[in-house]
Amino acid sequence: MGEMKGLTCAAVIALIAFSVSACASSHGATATGVTRAAVTIGGPLQVSARIVRSSRLIDSDQVRCTAAVTTPVQVGHVLDVTFRIRNVSRHPVKVPLAHDNLWLVVSGADGTTYDTRAATRATGSLGGPYIPPTTIRAGGTETRHFSYLRVRWSGPLEVTPGCELTALPPIRVAVTAAGRPSASMAVADVAAASGHLLDHCRPQTPGVAVIGQIDPPSGDAPPMQARCSLSLEARRGFVVAHLLVVSPPTLQGVHIEQPYERLAWLAQGQNAEAVAWEFVVTRDGAISVDSYEVDATKPANRMAPDWTWTGSAWQGPGGSRCGGFGGGGGGVTGATVEFVSVCS
């Protein structure tokens, strides 16, 4: 029998049979699986989902950190991890619970390793003011949700959660996918998912750049001449697409650095921009999973407007004064585009 909603019979059997065995090690570390109600995956097909947990004592055994993940997860969707930090001592303790104190290392079956701490350092996507440690009363619990990382790796995944400097026992998470599209369908789906960004700069063949222009979503900013290209990487049941937009088209030396979808910053004193935008594409369409943008502008007494794709519309304009350089990344719902053409 052929495929059913992108899952072969063998894959269905393997997925239903998938389980996480309980294990234990020193220092109060455990990893367990707890069966949960069935969920619908790929239409009428019913696959049993389970919550898997990993736990370890930290901070001189005063605190127990537990991470919980639901398996399977659908490719392109958020790897939603819930951290519960419980004070098991008899007195209040202070625990650092800022975003960078709770982390994940994800190892895919395709050989890719993604460390959220390294991603933060590479992209500079998480900043902001200092967040002091949280005081947890004796016997009290704090909960934090880690819900910005979208799955773009073949499964099963080995997910290692971490609290502060301590790694918890790894968790195995299955990945479902609706099946790989053809190359032409993947190109069309990425164009459709990018909010008309490629209307006049649309790649036709993976790996072959085209010269065109990028138009502002609104207002009177002049369009940007650009070079647009799209690369495709086949995975188990899906495709990873990397879109690169470079302006001006003659700008050289720009490439996407993996696995964190990073671009090197551009030199000052020019009007230039590069946008990297990563998608997961299945037979159900394209989903934005990451993005990064860098720009540089010549000094001028005007503002360069920018827009950010929200998944359904371009939000903006924001902007910055001409005469600087910078960028940033970690955008899940969509890319940011700054119209440096205003600064010409």
Side-chain angles (χ1 to χ4, degrees), residues 32-51:
T32 61
V34 180
T35 301
R36 200 173 68 166
V39 295
T40 301
I41 296 177
L45 180 64
Q46 295 290 320
V47 177
S48 178
R50 76 172 62 228
I51 297 175

Side-chain angles (χ1 to χ4, degrees), residues 46-47 61 98 125 156-157 167 173 194 200 206 212 232 238 273 280 284 318 324:
Q46 295 290 320
V47 177
D61 294 349
S125 57
L157 308 177
V173 178
S194 59
H200 299 109
L232 302 180
F238 63 99
E273 180 175 29
V280 162
D284 291 338

Side-chain angles (χ1 to χ4, degrees), residues 260-337:
Y260 304 114
E261 206 70 7
R262 186 182 182 277
L263 297 166
W265 281 20
L266 301 177
Q268 300 182 58
Q270 59 179 331
N271 288 324
E273 180 175 29
V275 177
W277 198 348
E278 185 176 12
F279 297 84
V280 162
V281 193
T282 70
R283 294 173 186 170
D284 291 338
I287 300 174
S288 172
V289 295
D290 207 354
S291 67
Y292 198 79
E293 183 268 350
V294 291
D295 59 75
T297 54
K298 295 179 180 179
N301 188 25
R302 56 181 71 101
M303 299 290 289
D306 64 44
W307 285 263
T308 298
W309 181 247
T310 66
S312 59
W314 287 100
Q315 185 179 56
S320 58
R321 183 165 295 279
C322 298
F325 75 106
V332 172
T333 56
T336 294
V337 181

Side-chain angles (χ1 to χ4, degrees), residues 134-326:
T134 299
T135 299
I136 306 177
R137 62 176 177 80
T141 299
E142 289 285 334
T143 300
R144 298 290 186 273
H145 295 285
F146 194 109
S147 57
Y148 74 86
L149 185 63
R150 288 184 178 266
V151 173
R152 73 229 40 189
W153 313 280
S154 299
L157 308 177
E158 182 178 272
V159 180
T160 302
C163 294
E164 300 179 50
L165 300 178
T166 303
L168 309 186
I171 300 171
R172 284 174 63 85
V173 178
V175 176
T176 63
R180 282 203 304 264
S182 65
S184 60
M185 183 180 296
V187 171
D189 286 343
V190 168
S194 59
H196 298 284
L197 181 71
L198 304 179
D199 280 359
H200 299 109
C201 192
R202 176 173 170 172
Q204 300 298 318
T205 304
V208 179
V210 299
I211 306 299
Q213 71 177 36
I214 302 298
D215 296 320
S218 62
D220 56 359
M224 290 192 302
Q225 299 302 306
R227 183 177 76 247
C228 305
S229 60
L230 185 68
S231 64
L232 302 180
E233 299 177 13
R235 294 288 187 264
R236 189 180 303 163
F238 63 99
V239 168
V240 175
H242 302 279
L243 174 64
L244 179 62
V245 177
V246 176
S247 180
T250 55
L251 185 66
Q252 298 299 314
V254 178
H255 65 278
I256 302 172
E257 300 174 5
Q258 296 298 331
Y260 304 114
E261 206 70 7
R262 186 182 182 277
L263 297 166
W265 281 20
L266 301 177
Q268 300 182 58
Q270 59 179 331
N271 288 324
E273 180 175 29
V275 177
W277 198 348
E278 185 176 12
F279 297 84
V280 162
V281 193
T282 70
R283 294 173 186 170
D284 291 338
I287 300 174
S288 172
V289 295
D290 207 354
S291 67
Y292 198 79
E293 183 268 350
V294 291
D295 59 75
T297 54
K298 295 179 180 179
N301 188 25
R302 56 181 71 101
M303 299 290 289
D306 64 44
W307 285 263
T308 298
W309 181 247
T310 66
S312 59
W314 287 100
Q315 185 179 56
S320 58
R321 183 165 295 279
C322 298
F325 75 106

